[in-house]
Amino acid sequence: MLHVDLSQLAGGTLQEKFDREITRVIDNMQDPNTPFGEKRKITINISFVQNEMRDDAKIEISLNSKLAGVISAKTNFAMGKDLKSGEVVVNEYGKQIPGQMSFSDLGQKEEGNKVTPIQQPRKLGTN
């Protein structure tokens, strides 16, 4: 039986490529922006092509990895038109009901001694 030390194959290139790919996989697994349960893979391909005389062969080594994708970010927008200006108004909301105000959406408007909260709509393309 033939014994091939894979760490020495192609002058250590296979080992070098594997070390690079395993580092990418581990980094991807540690990234909190990727799903924890998704499989990651490293595929090692070793191709052999011999000559007609069968006394020589070319060997090609390639590695590729399948990493987990980045988790998408989701949000919601309530949209409408400002009836006075006709401009599109957009308000981003998360877990709250559209149209419901949150403390971060509130400004304050003074009316005499009374402080009244007001919603601050944003125009499309502004923060």
Side-chain angles (χ1 to χ4, degrees), residues 5-66:
D5 184 353
L6 296 178
S7 68
Q8 299 300 313
L9 191 61
T13 301
L14 176 59
Q15 184 69 52
E16 180 183 313
K17 290 178 181 290
F18 179 79
D19 290 346
R20 184 180 66 234
E21 292 304 313
I22 192 76
T23 299
R24 290 182 66 218
V25 167
I26 298 301
D27 287 346
N28 184 260
M29 292 173 75
Q30 294 296 309
D31 185 346
N33 293 310
T34 61
F36 70 91
E38 194 168 317
K39 289 182 182 178
R40 281 76 166 177
K41 295 181 183 181
I42 297 174
T43 304
I44 299 173
N45 291 305
I46 304 174
S47 302
F48 301 84
V49 179
Q50 65 185 10
N51 66 3
E52 188 176 342
M53 301 292 292
R54 298 176 189 253
D55 62 357
D56 189 48
K58 296 199 183 299
I59 300 172
E60 184 178 326
I61 300 168
S62 64
L63 278 80
N64 58 34
S65 55
K66 179 185 177 290

Side-chain angles (χ1 to χ4, degrees), residues 24-127:
R24 290 182 66 218
V25 167
I26 298 301
D27 287 346
N28 184 260
M29 292 173 75
Q30 294 296 309
D31 185 346
N33 293 310
T34 61
F36 70 91
E38 194 168 317
K39 289 182 182 178
R40 281 76 166 177
K41 295 181 183 181
I42 297 174
T43 304
I44 299 173
N45 291 305
I46 304 174
S47 302
F48 301 84
V49 179
Q50 65 185 10
N51 66 3
E52 188 176 342
M53 301 292 292
R54 298 176 189 253
D55 62 357
D56 189 48
K58 296 199 183 299
I59 300 172
E60 184 178 326
I61 300 168
S62 64
L63 278 80
N64 58 34
S65 55
K66 179 185 177 290
L67 305 176
V70 175
I71 298 170
S72 63
K74 297 178 181 176
T75 190
N76 297 301
F77 281 86
M79 299 176 283
K81 279 194 175 184
D82 183 318
L83 296 176
K84 292 180 183 176
S85 68
E87 293 182 286
V88 175
V89 178
V90 176
N91 275 326
E92 181 179 5
Y93 67 93
K95 296 178 182 177
Q96 67 194 59
I97 300 167
Q100 180 183 26
M101 296 172 65
S102 70
F103 289 113
S104 64
D105 293 330
L106 299 177
Q108 292 187 347
K109 178 179 170 185
E110 290 190 35
E111 295 177 4
N113 292 340
K114 184 178 174 187
V115 177
T116 307
I118 58 170
Q119 188 172 8
Q120 300 294 322
R122 292 178 285 188
K123 293 180 182 175
L124 189 60
T126 63
N127 290 332

